[in-house]
């Protein structure tokens, strides 16, 4: 099967509000950045383009159509879109390269979710007959999950605060972070509860922005003459939507995806996990069976800023950056979708040398 | 280089204005179960599910794949959600095929749907947006001026659209699943129906339907496990261009021409009218038949309407290249599924399994979908014979 190389990645600053910038203006700088990294001019120089976005975050049907305006699709291009995080656009593009219909692909994800009230908006992704009419917001659902985790004895509020403290500290080195700094676990635990047992600090700060990536065959990467990381495995799995039928303290779909992607086939130096709530990092780390020798979210993860529809792709990009820079040889990236970690994607990246 | 794949099962629902008897989950499951039965398979035989639909605002459910995984037997498996505007039904079939053609999966289920009675599509398409002109015209209002430009360029007589409206409804009357059942429709009846967007009359526009369509796509090594003849996937292509750019030909979009050229090259087609036995083409408004006849290379520029008027695209008139024998989008339009219905009906033809709307001896067929401002295109060619 065709080996896939990741050759370029860029993400925007995580902005609390992008103001008057529209989606095309969010996307364009990231596209220009990845074009520059491999030395191409525009989307005409890749064989396939795939994006991830969500209509409801923009409040418009066909939100991605405007995105096509950022591509310069004249003459017409081969292009597709997933109504998911762009990590799944990456997945679709991998299939396209494996089947031999493309040697290279551009991926991007974007959202400007500040226009609406995200936790309430996302309540409308629940079962429309039994759950959506209750308008249960995403923070409340995550709080239920955190409560179950605490009561199971698998984690404590201190463990959750440690995730936040470490993430914010790591984010000090992340130039795109919306939130970073040194804060002690005790200081965090002294904060008021927001939606019990979650404090505001346990919820990753949502941000407007975009991320872009270029992948290709190894031959194409050599032709471009740029450092690359091999995408040695990628898999994703979904679980039941019915929260009452899932063990919310575990992530079975992450375990399945990790096995299929080959996480256990080598050391995991770095893991970038898409955990929008602190307790979810604990659940994911256990599901991925990460040891003490794995650095989790050295970028600060989404606690540096949660770019809706792009954070999953950014996790892959963060691992790629470290491999391309020669900093590490092997790492794991994770993306999630749906309430309480319902749907999870796991990618394994390795050094080519 | 890609793995050979084929359609081994097809399932559809009854298309109608309102399927009040089923939930959204019940609707997609009905199509999926029909596809599995057609393929002689069980849920456990499926490795992944690829779901497609048009904007989430059509039902008011964000990313409904999260909720539909239970109904589609997908728990523990990969689920991918495709959304590429009106072409999504076709694009979803292509993404599903790529799961198998890439060698990554042996057998996948793909499902598309729309339950338009749950919401109001006109509203969903017309939410005002900052920084852009607010269009409240709906799809017909958007395409009517483009159709008038086609009429001006080609000098086509004014009743070409009326002829297509009658022809596709007579085809639809042969298809028990079709939403509109108008076996006695006449040119006069269409002409006398209300003018909506000049030159499109009420009966020259597609209906708004509830419905779902599903297919099982299998790798060559598993095709024999399904009892009915396979439809071999002989070519796959998609193209996109921006809604507006200087010099854009909206009547005859380059993305459509390029997409057709790509899929024909893969399938070894040099003269589509001669080489193909039939086609299922996305014609939501009557005049798009002559326009796409030209865009897809079945007729020279300005000549498409002559094929239509001569009956070349009519099953009832014994035409040499029947288009939309199922009744097409003009007879059933659950938007998110409409593209996949074209792809699936093309496959039914080459499987010899199209019932009363079967083109005798069909061996090679085109499935086509378009979306947005006629800017997103998805196509495949399926054949009875293994390539």
């Amino acid at each position: 099967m065709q080996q896939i190389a990741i050759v370029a990645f860029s993400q925007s600053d995580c902005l609390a509000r992008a103001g008057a910038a529209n989606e095309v203006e969010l996307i364009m700088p990231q596209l220009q950045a990845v074009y520059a990294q491999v030395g191409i001019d525009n989307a005409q120089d890749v064989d396939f383009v795939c994006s991830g976005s969500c209509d409801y975050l923009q409040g418009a049907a066909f939100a991605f159509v405007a995105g096509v305006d950022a591509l310069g699709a004249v003459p017409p291009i081969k292009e597709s879109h997933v109504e998911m995080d762009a990590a799944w656009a990456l997945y679709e593009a991998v299939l396209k390269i494996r089947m031999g219909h493309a040697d290279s692909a551009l991926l991007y994800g974007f959202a400007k979710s500040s226009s609406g009230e995200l936790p309430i908006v996302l309540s409308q992704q629940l079962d429309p007959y039994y759950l959506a009419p209750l308008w249960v917001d995403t923070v409340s659902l995550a709080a239920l999950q955190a409560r179950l985790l605490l009561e199971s004895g698998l984690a404590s509020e201190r463990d959750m605060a440690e995730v936040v403290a470490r993430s914010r500290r790591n984010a000090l080195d992340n130039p795109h972070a919306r939130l970073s700094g040194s804060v002690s676990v005790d200081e965090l635990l002294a904060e008021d509860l927001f939606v019990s047992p979650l404090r505001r600090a346990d919820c990753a700060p949502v941000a407007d922005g975009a991320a872009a990536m270029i992948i290709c065959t190894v031959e194409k990467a050599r032709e471009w003459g740029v450092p690359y990381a091999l995408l040695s495995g990628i898999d994703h799995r979904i679980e039941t939507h019915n929260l009452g039928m899932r063990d919310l303290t575990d992530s079975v779909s992450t375990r399945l995806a990790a096995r299929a992607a080959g996480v256990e086939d080598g050391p995991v130096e770095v893991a970038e996990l898409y955990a929008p709530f602190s307790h979810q990092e604990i659940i994911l780390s256990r599901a991925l069976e990460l040891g003490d020798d794995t650095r989790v979210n050295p970028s600060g993860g989404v606690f540096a800023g949660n770019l809706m529809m792009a954070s999953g792709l950014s996790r892959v990009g963060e691992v790629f950056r470290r491999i391309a820079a020669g900093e590490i040889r092997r790492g794991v990236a994770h993306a999630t979708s749906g309430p309480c970690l319902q749907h999870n994607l796991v990618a394994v990246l390795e050094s080519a040398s | 280089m890609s793995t050979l794949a084929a359609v081994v099962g097809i399932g559809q629902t009854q298309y109608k204005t309102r399927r009040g008897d089923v939930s959204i989950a019940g609707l997609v499951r009905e199509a999926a179960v029909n596809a599995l039965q057609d393929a002689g398979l069980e849920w456990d035989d499926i490795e992944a599910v690829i779901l497609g639909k048009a904007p989430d605002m059509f039902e008011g459910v964000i990313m409904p794949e999260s909720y539909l995984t239970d109904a589609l037997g997908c728990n523990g498996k990969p689920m991918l959600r495709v959304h590429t505007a009106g072409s999504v039904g076709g694009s979803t079939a292509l993404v599903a095929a790529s799961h198998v053609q890439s060698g990554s999966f042996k057998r996948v289920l793909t499902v598309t749907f729309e339950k338009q009675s749950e919401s109001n599509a006109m509203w969903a398409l017309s939410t005002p947006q900052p920084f852009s002109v607010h269009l409240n015209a709906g799809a017909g209002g958007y395409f009517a001026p483009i159709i008038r430009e086609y009429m001006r360029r080609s000098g086509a007589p004014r009743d070409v659209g009326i002829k297509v409206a009658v022809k596709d409804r007579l085809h639809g009357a042969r298809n028990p699943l079709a939403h509109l059942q108008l076996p006695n429709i006449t040119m006069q009846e269409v002409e006398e129906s209300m003018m909506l967007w000049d030159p499109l009359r009420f009966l020259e526009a597609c209906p708004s339907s509830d419905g779902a369509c599903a297919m099982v796509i299998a790798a060559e090594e598993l095709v024999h496990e399904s009892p009915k003849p396979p439809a071999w996937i002989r070519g796959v292509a998609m193209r996109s261009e921006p809604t507006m750019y200087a010099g854009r030909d909206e009547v005859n979009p380059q993305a459509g021409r390029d997409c057709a050229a790509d899929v024909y090259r893969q399938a070894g087609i040099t003269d589509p009218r001669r080489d193909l036995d039939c086609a299922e083409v996305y014609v939501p408004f009557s005049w798009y038949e002559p326009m796409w006849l030209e865009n897809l290379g079945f007729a020279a520029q300005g000549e498409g309407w002559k094929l239509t008027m001569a009956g070349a695209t009519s099953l009832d008139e014994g035409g040499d290249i029947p288009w939309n024998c199922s009744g097409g989008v003009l007879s059933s339009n659950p938007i998110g599924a409409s593209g996949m219905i074209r792809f699936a009906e093309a496959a039914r033809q080459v499987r010899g399994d199209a019932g009363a709307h079967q083109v005798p001896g069909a061996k090679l067929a085109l499935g086509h979908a378009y979306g947005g401002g006629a800017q997103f295109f998805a196509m495949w060619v399926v054949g009875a014979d293994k390539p």
Side-chain angles (χ1 to χ4, degrees), chain B residues 261-384:
Chain B
D262 189 359
V263 81
Y264 293 159
R265 179 186 52 73
Q266 294 171 46
I269 291 167
T270 52
D271 178 347
R273 184 175 176 182
R274 185 196 65 211
D275 297 342
L276 287 160
D277 296 304
C278 56
E280 282 281 339
V281 178
Y282 207 96
V283 177
F285 300 103
S286 58
W287 279 91
Y288 268 89
E289 174 169 304
M291 289 162 68
W292 289 153
L293 277 164
E294 298 171 22
N295 188 249
L296 296 172
F298 287 75
Q301 292 304 298
E303 306 280 311
W305 61 271
K306 293 179 183 168
L307 267 65
T308 297
M309 294 313 273
T313 57
S314 165
L315 199 52
D316 296 288
E317 295 180 53
D320 65 290
I321 181 66
W323 268 35
N324 294 326
C325 299
S326 66
V329 182
L330 282 172
S331 296
S332 315
N333 188 30
I335 297 181
S338 288
M340 184 171 284
I341 298 169
R342 308 279 73 71
F343 279 47
E345 285 290 344
R348 285 182 74 189
Q349 290 288 348
V350 301
R351 297 173 89 198
D353 193 33
H357 61 279
Q358 177 71 45
V359 175
K363 294 278 186 204
L364 202 63
L366 171 71
H368 162 283
Y370 86 92
Q375 64 191 113
F376 302 112
F377 292 86
M379 301 179 199
W380 80 4
V381 170
V382 283

Side-chain angles (χ1 to χ4, degrees), chain A residues 118-127 130-132 134-149 160 194-198 203 240-244 246 248-249 276-277 279-280 283 337-342, chain B residues 66:
Chain A
L118 186 67
I120 285 292
V121 171
L122 287 182
S123 73
Q124 298 308 294
Q125 72 175 324
L126 300 170
D127 179 323
Y130 295 105
L131 289 171
L134 303 175
W135 294 92
V136 195
D137 64 275
T138 40
V139 179
S140 298
L141 286 176
L144 286 172
Q145 184 179 34
R147 176 63 67 198
L148 282 166
L149 189 70
M160 288 162 59
F194 174 45
V195 180
S196 177
L198 299 177
C203 312
T240 176
H241 185 66
N242 192 327
L243 295 172
R246 277 166 57 194
L248 293 178
T249 65
F277 298 93
H279 67 278
Q280 292 180 340
I283 294 171
S337 179
C340 297
L341 304 174
Q342 186 191 349
Chain B
S66 295

Side-chain angles (χ1 to χ4, degrees), chain B residues 70-138:
Chain B
D70 292 275
L72 293 173
C74 194
N75 296 344
K77 302 173 188 174
M79 159 75 82
L80 198 74
R81 160 71 195 289
V82 183
H83 176 22
T84 63
S87 62
V88 65
S91 308
T92 306
L94 298 184
V95 174
S98 75
H99 278 67
V100 177
Q101 291 171 313
S102 63
S104 309
F105 296 83
K106 300 283 184 232
R107 196 154 44 198
V108 301
L109 171 70
T110 182
V111 186
T112 52
F113 75 97
E114 211 68 69
K115 201 159 189 287
Q116 291 187 233
S117 66
E118 299 280 341
S119 176
N120 183 323
M122 192 69 135
W123 167 81
L125 291 175
S126 304
T127 54
Q129 286 299 297
F131 320 116
S132 34
V133 180
H134 184 205
L135 289 176
N136 229 338

